[in-house]
Amino acid sequence: MEKLFVNGGNRLCGEVKIDSAKNALLPILAGCILVEGKVVIKKATAYTDVEAMCDILKSLGAQVNRKKDLLEIDCSSLSACEISHQLASPVRSSIFTLGPLLARLGRAKVAYPGGCDIGLRPIDIHLTALKELGCKIIEKNGYIYGEKLKREKTEVFLSFQSVGATENVIMFCALLPGTTKIFNCAKEPEIVDLANFLNKCGAKIEGAGSDVITVCGVEKLYGCCYQAIPDRIECGTFLIAGAMTGGEILLKNAIASHNSALIEKLKTCGCLIDSGKDFISLTAPKRLESFKEVETSVYPGFPTDLQPQIVAFASVANGCSLVFENVFENRFNYVGELLKMGCDILFKSSICIVRGKNKIFGADVVATDLRGGASLVLASLVAEGYTTINRAEYIDRGYFHIENKLAKLGADIKRI
Ligand code: UD1
């Protein structure tokens, strides 16, 4: 069990570099299954979820080598099309292998995915789309058995703009003869990044970033060298950390347009924010104002992956804030831990009412999931006294040694 130990109260100042996006790296790793040749991924941050995905690829027979943050993946010869429960259950992204395995090998047996407990997280949209594109899918004993048969349709409509389903279907179609039009696609920057990666390998994908994506299947994909986009959720978390601590920070390798929903909110709370091609700077006011209301939604709306962090922010801003969670139905598990720190939060089903306090206090708390864990770290930075955050391994799924970057900015934080 990993623990973080924080002595709150320090103002964050200085510069940090944002890592590559976890949610871009994970589908890109699944996309490697489609490629006959070596893929080199530069700046492949070793998040624990990324390492878990590498283990999945190795179990399929892929050659995977990591040299610091350079990852080489060669799926030229795959020896298996099955992903065990043991490998699939720690991560959500294991389901991303289904489309690529069916496309490349024609068959797949994949155990149900795991991931953070933030709701039911069904995979019906993934499976319905694959069925409509001619796959036989059977769910039995905790596994999804898939077989690629004859294509039935050239168009699919996703019933919700699911990020994972959009990615799975794009990857399946990349090697499917003929042209497929996918309607009601998710528009997240990580989808554009996946399409850019696959296109660099020789795929023909158009429209990523809009709600209609067209994929013209090719016979084969070839290796390439790629670097994923910066992590907009890590970036957002650090912007919020800077704001909450009254700090002045510069984030390098950060794309402001990917975080526009958050940046607009922070500006209304009194933060001065400037940005250029690959940086964002933030200067916080002495006393933060509340943002009044935030509603999570699909991109370009306010990201659900920043909802717990913005609740921590609201806990120390001046006034009352309302937070509506519209994407996942059970994403307030962490609130009980913030209450232990003296935060004033009421929540019912998908709504949180947060009253900002002048002071919150350090406590012994437990991370309940990745982003919920990040919200506890943020609260601990401004809490009076010491906070111990237990189960910090959740945080490591999507932040690479968060304590090192925060310490560089002046926080008193260490791993114990
Ligand atoms: C991805 C991200 C996750 C982020 C989420 C929403 C990765 C590895 N994870 O997760 O960090 O929080 O996008 O931005 O990229 N749904 C269904 N049926 C399906 C699929 C989804 O009902 O088949 C529902 C989900 O339960 C949820 C909503 O759709 O309520 C959004 O899910 P989705 O966009 O698929 O999220 P993920 O791909 O799981």
Side-chain angles (χ1 to χ4, degrees):
M1 228 175 50
E2 300 288 322
K3 287 183 190 207
L4 292 173
F5 187 65
V6 187
N7 182 13
N10 290 4
R11 186 170 176 251
L12 298 194
C13 288
E15 178 183 318
V16 282
K17 202 167 176 191
I18 298 302
D19 280 310
S20 294
K22 168 185 85 82
N23 287 352
L25 289 170
L26 295 171
I28 287 172
L29 288 173
C32 290
I33 293 173
L34 298 165
V35 180
E36 289 180 56
K38 193 200 271 182
V39 173
V40 178
I41 306 176
K42 292 192 285 183
K43 305 240 179 286
T45 311
Y47 303 111
T48 53
D49 270 20
V50 163
E51 297 307 274
M53 200 64 180
C54 288
D55 289 340
I56 287 177
L57 293 181
K58 282 183 203 160
S59 78
L60 297 171
Q63 303 287 321
V64 181
N65 288 308
R66 180 180 275 285
K67 293 174 194 146
K68 294 194 177 155
D69 62 358
L70 193 85
L71 204 50
E72 293 179 347
I73 293 146
D74 194 336
C75 292
S76 298
S77 49
L78 294 177
S79 51
C81 63
E82 174 174 340
I83 295 166
S84 68
H85 179 72
Q86 199 196 349
L87 286 168
S89 64
V91 282
R92 182 72 191 162
S93 56
S94 52
I95 190 64
F96 297 164
T97 58
L98 184 62
L101 280 173
L102 288 169
R104 174 88 190 275
L105 303 174
R107 277 180 311 121
K109 178 183 171 190
V110 179
Y112 281 104
C116 285
D117 180 12
I118 52 176
L120 286 176
R121 308 189 85 177
I123 49 168
D124 55 316
I125 304 170
H126 303 235
L127 302 186
T128 303
L130 291 171
K131 280 182 200 164
E132 287 186 358
L133 291 169
C135 294
K136 183 175 164 196
I137 304 277
I138 295 172
E139 296 176 78
K140 208 170 84 184
N141 303 333
Y143 280 88
I144 301 142
Y145 294 79
E147 193 184 346
K148 182 175 153 191
L149 303 173
K150 207 168 157 289
R151 171 209 274 279
E152 286 174 12
K153 289 185 176 177
T154 54
E155 293 186 347
V156 275
F157 181 87
L158 307 179
S159 59
F160 180 81
Q161 295 182 323
S162 152
V163 175
T166 303
E167 292 168 340
N168 229 337
V169 176
I170 292 176
M171 292 190 277
F172 176 70
C173 295
L175 296 181
L176 187 67
T179 299
T180 315
K181 257 188 168 20
I182 312 160
F183 293 92
N184 203 30
C185 293
K187 296 186 280 229
E188 271 67 2
E190 293 77 17
I191 294 194
V192 178
D193 208 37
L194 173 67
N196 287 343
F197 162 69
L198 294 172
N199 283 343
K200 206 169 177 195
C201 296
K204 291 193 175 142
I205 302 164
E206 279 176 16
S210 77
D211 47 20
V212 183
I213 297 179
T214 307
V215 187
C216 180
V218 297
E219 221 170 90
K220 221 174 166 182
L221 293 188
Y222 304 91
C224 78
C225 181
Y226 199 74
Q227 183 177 329
I229 52 170
D231 196 304
R232 64 193 166 98
I233 307 302
E234 186 196 19
C235 175
T237 305
F238 276 83
L239 287 175
I240 295 172
M244 286 173 71
T245 59
E248 197 168 345
I249 56 168
L250 173 67
L251 304 179
K252 293 270 190 76
N253 192 37
I255 302 177
S257 61
H258 290 175
N259 266 314
S260 47
L262 171 68
I263 288 173
E264 286 319 307
K265 286 289 168 200
L266 292 178
K267 283 182 178 169
T268 66
C269 302
C271 296
L272 293 175
I273 298 178
D274 190 22
S275 60
K277 194 172 155 271
D278 62 353
F279 76 86
I280 308 175
S281 67
L282 175 142
T283 306
K286 281 229 160 59
R287 181 83 174 113
L288 287 172
E289 290 304 319
S290 72
F291 48 78
K292 311 290 182 237
E293 205 175 299
V294 151
E295 219 180 308
T296 67
S297 66
V298 296
Y299 189 82
F302 193 91
T304 172
D305 283 357
L306 284 175
Q307 177 263 103
Q309 298 90 317
I310 208 72
V311 167
F313 172 101
S315 299
V316 293
N318 186 28
C320 185
S321 307
L322 280 178
V323 179
F324 297 86
E325 173 55 58
N326 294 330
V327 181
F328 290 105
E329 66 282 5
N330 186 24
R331 202 161 195 178
F332 288 130
N333 285 341
Y334 66 90
V335 168
E337 302 303 301
L338 285 181
L339 294 181
K340 290 183 191 164
M341 301 178 77
C343 297
D344 182 350
I345 308 170
L346 272 175
F347 80 97
K348 192 158 172 70
S349 62
S350 61
I351 306 171
C352 250
I353 304 167
V354 190
R355 284 193 195 86
K357 302 275 289 273
N358 283 326
K359 246 186 205 173
I360 58 171
F361 302 94
D364 202 356
V365 290
V366 185
T368 52
D369 60 84
L370 161 56
R371 308 301 172 186
S375 86
L376 300 179
V377 173
L378 293 175
S380 73
L381 295 174
V382 293
E384 196 174 283
Y386 296 97
T387 301
T388 304
I389 301 161
N390 298 283
R391 303 294 314 259
E393 61 271 20
Y394 276 120
I395 301 167
D396 299 336
R397 300 180 67 153
Y399 300 87
F400 188 69
H401 287 286
I402 194 168
E403 70 277 16
N404 292 349
K405 283 186 187 172
L406 289 170
K408 187 170 177 252
L409 292 172
D412 185 354
I413 179 170
K414 60 183 179 204
R415 192 173 286 256
I416 49 174

